[in-house]
Amino acid sequence: MRSRPGAVTWGWGGGFVATRDVFSEDKLAQLRGFPEINRVELIRHFTVSDADVAFLRKFRTGRNVLGAAVQLCTLPWLGFVPDEVTAAPAAAVGRLSQRLGVPMGELRGYGEREQTRTDHLQGVAAYLGWRAIDAMEWKGLDEFLFALAMEHDSPKLLFRLACEYLASSRVARPGVVLILKRVAAARARAREETWMRVAHLLTDRHRAELDLLLVPDALLGRSALAWLGIGATSSTPAAVKAELEKLTYLRRLDAHTLGLSMLPGERRRFLAGVGRRLTPQALARREPERRYPILLTLLAQSAVDVLDEVLLLFDQAVSGRESAAKQKLTEALAERARGGENRQQLLDEILSVVLDPVVGDEQVGPLLRSRIGMERMRAAWAARTERFAGAGAVRGGAARGRAGGVRAHQATAGGRGPATTGIWR
């Protein structure tokens, strides 16, 4: 069945949407006609068996035989047969012409009477085991599209999957606009079902709290929703603290306790994605049945995303502190090794005097002071106490970093986020 160009269908948000908003006029023409054919498709779909040839000979004249052959091969290939059978790819017609022994030119006059082409298509469909769509098939398609629309909202994707569903059931595809109407109806039904599943979570207080997400906050300089959407660009302490403030704000809202398991995961991700793409002003203008499910899923997803971001930033910050501590420890150990060599050299010089049998006991002290010097010996003695204190301080750096991070998290209980209270428990 051919659909009227420019017809309208129901859109996701209610109201009419022209089919050209889904597909352009050029794309609609392509969907109704023959596409280009590749070699694999040519061999797979335009190779007729002896039984097929015997069936086609029943159409008597060469024109009808070749025209029916094109329909016989096109139906399994495209899932439907375009109105202009004579516009079939030349390579496909040539292959059939050679197999059937009918000149390609015979196809030019095929289907001058529309009834002839329709009667042939009915016979071909019956021979192949295909059928036209009926009320039961429409109902099955509606349920199939509704289940998909709960997870995917793209009309083009739903249209393609609907065509695949019909082809797998050996049901000839109806007009493009007819399918687009079913797609639009499935999307609208999915929106209504989404609202029904989350409406019990939305008391008047809950709605007011969600609406506050869209209102500019003087402390933040923007709406809370826009503030939550600003991600960290580094793992500095300030960036970690900013993310912790978001996490604290979401915890005060009890966003982490929102139970949205009644919605499929793909549906939740789709709604959260819509919320991220739209501005707070655009969301505020949407009707409640669309606005609140988006805000609910966005709030729940933000609780997960911000927590992941906090853990990632904290891990990066601690890793940076540990790397710096390890570098300091390496430098301290290298300095200690150099000091050990100096002390060993000093000890060798001292022992060379003390153990010299020629040097008397009363001469040891004066010789050490004159050969080595009191300043050098005092410096070696002072370094003895410093090296142990320095090594202990470096080893404790990473632990203090972790403790500092925990204290920073605890300190954000009264952070910059908008004042609010837990409402979802």
Side-chain angles (χ1 to χ4, degrees):
M1 177 177 179
R2 175 174 293 187
S3 302
R4 179 172 56 86
V8 293
T9 62
W10 283 99
W12 188 80
F16 287 106
V17 177
T19 55
R20 60 176 174 270
D21 292 338
V22 179
F23 295 117
S24 66
E25 291 296 337
D26 290 342
K27 184 61 178 178
L28 284 173
Q30 292 176 13
L31 291 171
R32 295 183 179 117
F34 284 96
E36 295 182 0
I37 190 169
N38 58 44
R39 180 174 177 80
V40 174
E41 292 172 330
L42 181 65
I43 296 174
R44 178 180 178 183
H45 295 289
F46 287 84
T47 300
V48 293
S49 65
D50 292 339
D52 295 335
V53 172
F55 167 75
L56 293 170
R57 295 297 183 194
K58 298 178 181 178
F59 294 96
R60 300 180 182 177
T61 67
R63 175 187 304 176
N64 289 343
V65 168
L66 188 56
V70 171
Q71 297 200 74
L72 177 74
C73 298
T74 300
L75 184 57
W77 175 34
L78 302 180
F80 74 104
V81 178
D83 291 344
E84 301 296 332
V85 177
T86 57
V93 177
R95 185 177 177 85
L96 293 175
S97 172
Q98 184 178 8
R99 178 72 170 89
L100 298 170
V102 178
M104 292 179 58
E106 289 288 333
L107 187 64
R108 283 195 296 268
Y110 179 73
E112 292 178 348
R113 290 181 62 254
E114 184 176 349
Q115 187 61 44
T116 299
R117 182 184 59 80
T118 302
D119 291 343
H120 290 179
L121 179 57
Q122 291 175 350
V124 165
Y127 172 75
L128 294 174
W130 284 61
R131 59 191 183 279
I133 194 166
D134 57 19
M136 290 300 296
E137 298 292 348
W138 277 120
K139 183 177 180 180
L141 179 62
D142 289 340
E143 294 301 319
F144 173 77
L145 286 173
F146 167 65
L148 287 176
M150 286 298 294
E151 298 185 356
H152 308 284
D153 193 67
S154 169
K156 292 181 180 180
L157 175 62
L158 293 174
F159 175 84
R160 178 173 61 83
L161 294 176
C163 293
E164 293 178 359
Y165 169 82
L166 293 172
S168 66
S169 302
R170 293 199 170 192
V171 175
R173 193 201 79 184
V176 175
V177 172
L178 292 178
I179 296 181
L180 287 176
K181 287 182 178 179
R182 300 289 173 154
V183 166
R187 296 172 69 207
R189 182 181 170 192
R191 187 194 66 187
E192 294 169 0
E193 181 67 19
T194 298
W195 173 249
M196 289 178 58
R197 294 186 185 187
V198 302
H200 69 281
L201 297 173
L202 295 164
T203 64
D204 291 341
R205 183 186 176 191
H206 295 161
R207 299 185 189 197
E209 194 71 36
L210 289 173
D211 287 336
L212 285 177
L213 291 171
L214 308 176
V215 179
D217 185 271
L219 183 63
L220 298 174
R222 54 175 61 88
S223 68
L225 186 64
W227 173 60
L228 290 172
I230 300 175
T233 57
S234 65
S235 58
T236 61
V240 175
K241 186 173 184 294
E243 292 303 305
L244 285 172
E245 288 173 349
K246 295 178 186 177
L247 183 62
T248 303
Y249 170 68
L250 290 168
R251 290 297 177 95
R252 288 202 300 266
L253 278 176
D254 288 333
H256 61 294
T257 66
L258 276 174
L260 298 177
S261 59
M262 74 287 293
L263 297 178
E266 287 295 331
R267 187 70 179 177
R268 296 197 300 269
R269 281 187 284 274
F270 161 72
L271 292 173
V274 171
R276 291 190 181 97
R277 290 193 301 271
L278 296 177
T279 63
Q281 295 80 3
L283 277 172
R285 289 194 296 267
R286 296 208 168 191
E287 59 270 23
E289 292 80 4
R290 296 182 65 190
R291 180 171 70 250
Y292 292 126
I294 291 174
L295 290 175
L296 274 178
T297 53
L298 183 55
L299 198 64
Q301 189 62 44
S302 294
V304 175
D305 293 343
V306 171
L307 178 58
D308 290 343
E309 186 76 7
V310 167
L311 293 176
L312 177 61
L313 292 175
F314 190 69
D315 181 66
Q316 291 174 350
V318 170
S319 297
R321 292 290 296 272
E322 286 182 340
S323 298
K326 287 179 182 178
Q327 181 64 28
K328 290 182 179 179
L329 179 60
T330 300
E331 294 173 356
L333 292 175
E335 184 62 29
R336 182 178 178 183
R338 287 192 295 270
E341 293 177 357
N342 293 334
R343 288 191 299 276
Q344 183 64 45
Q345 183 180 357
L346 178 62
L347 178 60
D348 292 342
E349 293 179 20
I350 293 173
L351 291 177
S352 67
V353 173
V354 173
L355 298 179
D356 189 346
V358 178
V359 179
D361 292 345
E362 69 282 357
Q363 297 175 313
V364 170
L367 282 174
L368 290 177
R369 287 191 289 273
S370 62
R371 290 185 182 181
I372 299 175
M374 291 299 295
E375 183 178 350
R376 185 178 173 192
M377 288 189 288
R378 287 192 185 102
W381 181 254
R384 171 183 174 276
T385 56
E386 293 176 358
R387 69 177 184 270
F388 293 111
V394 171
R395 291 191 182 97
R400 287 197 298 275
R402 291 188 178 90
V406 173
R407 288 195 296 272
H409 190 180
Q410 294 171 343
T412 57
R416 295 191 305 126
T420 184
T421 56
I423 59 174
W424 301 104
R425 290 177 182 171

